[in-house]
Amino acid sequence: MTEEQILKKKEVLSKVLRYGTSQERKQALFELLSFPKEQANELYLYLGELLESEKDIGVKIVVLRTVGELNLHQFGDLVIRLFEDPNEDVTKQAISTAKKLKLTTAVGPLIEKVRKEDFTKSSNQLTLMINTLAELPNGIEASPFFQIKFKEKFNNSDTRAQIALYFGSVKDSSAESMLSDLAFDDAAPTTLRCYSINALGKIKANNAKSKLLELLDSLKKTAGKLDGKKAQSLKIYTIGALVLLGDKDVIQELNEFARDDDAMVRLRVIEHMGNLKDPSALDLLEYKRDRDPSPKVQKAAKRAIDQIKGVEVSSPEEESEKAENVTE
């Protein structure tokens, strides 16, 4: 756009943000994402005003999302204030925006909010708060409280599983013992076991390596005897933890599980092969790329080959996000 066009558009956007209908303001906020940043400071001021005074829930949510996408840290305090908004959808978007902005100042308020939650029930908002604390700088400050909740067996197992992932994300080695207790407890819920196994890998719990290898061996010996979905999940997460621990013998295990009848097991194993960047896996990966019966496995194999050869690739999460944006 020319300088004149930019000024004209800026004038239009400012009026729409102040006087437009809800739908018009949402559209203006979307257009603001691509507006030249060096010319947008005055427009950004409207975002702060909207965070403070907007009554329309839908518009407020889009404003929060826009603040996150534009990385506008100057509105951090206003975002945190909306953690206590009476509307749950606004609250969740405020927490997501704080996560996007990586607001260190959000840790304290989030911990206080988490302390008021009922851990005996499954809650999307609680899960979001746990995951946000896992990614925020200084989020490890919540660990002592989460350790208490993790130990309490009467709490919801899915919520405890999210706490296990939190321990792995913040690399809290002090949680190793309690994670091991659940990871190798045959009576524990599968998701809780799997996420505990994942966390053991992330915190580099080398003391758990021998038990992980024993678990993997037992899963092979009991093939067909365990519930299929349970066995699949345990295989995937155990192999993943061994990869994270840098176990040299896991390469052979990966080759074996790459021939598993379960396509999801093959998919995850091939992703691990790409992350390890071991050239010795190329022959197998080329076969999988060309002949695996699952198109998803073929795609993963191609991506793994590119990783090993040093070709820059997007992460599966980034590719998924791109696909979602296209769909929207």
Side-chain angles (χ1 to χ4, degrees):
M1 290 189 293
T2 64
E3 187 71 22
E4 183 180 352
Q5 289 173 323
I6 289 173
L7 291 174
K8 179 64 177 175
K9 180 157 185 153
K10 182 177 181 180
E11 181 183 356
V12 171
L13 287 175
S14 67
K15 288 182 178 179
V16 173
L17 288 172
R18 282 182 292 177
Y19 311 124
T21 65
S22 294
Q23 192 57 44
E24 287 173 330
R25 286 186 290 157
K26 288 178 185 177
Q27 181 59 36
L29 289 165
F30 176 76
E31 292 180 24
L32 189 56
L33 294 175
S34 57
F35 192 82
K37 289 189 175 183
E38 61 274 10
Q39 303 283 347
N41 284 335
E42 291 177 35
L43 294 174
Y44 292 163
L45 292 176
Y46 291 122
L47 299 185
E49 293 175 13
L50 290 170
L51 286 176
E52 287 192 280
S53 61
E54 182 57 48
K55 303 300 182 185
D56 186 293
I57 292 171
V59 172
K60 191 183 291 187
I61 289 171
V62 176
V63 173
L64 282 165
R65 193 178 300 145
T66 304
V67 167
E69 291 296 328
L70 291 172
N71 207 30
L72 301 178
H73 285 82
Q74 63 265 41
F75 299 126
D77 289 345
L78 294 174
V79 171
I80 292 170
R81 195 180 302 168
L82 290 174
F83 288 178
E84 302 303 327
D85 193 272
N87 182 275
E88 185 177 336
D89 289 334
V90 173
T91 296
K92 288 194 287 190
Q93 184 57 57
I95 294 168
S96 295
T97 298
K99 179 180 176 182
K100 182 88 173 177
L101 294 174
K102 297 193 179 301
L103 295 177
T104 56
T105 51
V107 172
L110 267 181
I111 292 174
E112 288 305 308
K113 190 170 181 62
V114 161
R115 286 180 179 276
K116 301 172 186 175
E117 292 291 315
D118 183 356
F119 280 72
T120 65
K121 298 177 182 178
S122 178
S123 162
N124 290 334
Q125 181 169 294
L126 178 54
T127 295
L128 175 61
M129 287 192 285
I130 295 170
N131 293 342
T132 299
L133 283 165
E135 294 192 25
L136 287 179
N138 303 323
I140 196 171
E141 291 173 13
S143 193
F145 174 72
F146 282 146
Q147 287 194 29
I148 294 170
K149 293 299 179 183
F150 189 71
K151 289 177 182 176
E152 294 173 344
K153 294 183 179 181
F154 55 79
N155 284 326
N156 180 271
S157 65
D158 289 337
T159 300
R160 293 172 74 204
Q162 293 300 321
I163 295 174
L165 290 181
Y166 162 87
F167 291 140
S169 295
V170 300
K171 307 290 192 295
D172 185 5
S173 57
S174 69
E176 180 177 339
S177 177
M178 64 182 75
L179 288 168
S180 290
D181 288 344
L182 276 165
F184 306 111
D185 181 358
D186 290 338
T190 303
T191 300
L192 183 51
R193 290 187 68 189
C194 288
Y195 287 6
S196 296
I197 289 169
N198 176 268
L200 287 171
K202 287 185 174 179
I203 67 174
K204 304 297 182 185
N206 287 307
N207 291 333
K209 189 183 292 186
S210 60
K211 285 189 175 182
L212 287 168
L213 289 168
E214 287 174 15
L215 175 59
L216 194 58
D217 188 53
S218 70
L219 288 170
K220 288 188 286 185
K221 290 177 179 177
T222 57
K225 296 180 183 179
L226 287 176
D227 172 79
K229 191 171 183 181
K230 177 180 178 180
Q232 176 206 75
S233 298
L234 288 169
K235 282 180 189 177
I236 290 169
Y237 280 91
T238 303
I239 292 169
L242 287 167
V243 169
L244 289 168
L245 289 170
D247 185 82
K248 294 179 180 179
D249 296 330
V250 80
I251 299 296
Q252 184 56 43
E253 299 289 350
L254 289 175
N255 287 336
E256 184 173 341
F257 280 107
R259 302 192 294 271
D260 197 279
D261 287 335
D262 191 309
M264 186 55 68
V265 171
R266 298 198 305 276
L267 177 67
R268 296 305 179 208
V269 163
I270 284 169
E271 288 176 350
H272 290 316
M273 286 180 167
N275 292 333
L276 285 171
K277 298 181 180 179
D278 185 351
S280 68
L282 281 172
D283 283 348
L284 183 148
L285 288 170
E286 286 169 358
Y287 176 88
K288 293 296 178 184
R289 176 196 62 193
D290 299 333
R291 308 208 42 186
D292 195 276
S294 167
K296 289 184 178 179
V297 173
Q298 290 180 10
K299 184 178 179 181
K302 182 182 182 304
R303 183 178 178 280
I305 291 169
D306 287 342
Q307 284 179 283
I308 292 171
K309 292 184 175 180
V311 178
E312 187 174 344
V313 296
S314 300
S315 70
E317 291 77 13
E318 290 171 335
E319 291 176 1
S320 177
E321 186 175 336
K322 288 177 184 176
E324 287 176 6
N325 291 336
V326 169
T327 303
E328 291 174 0

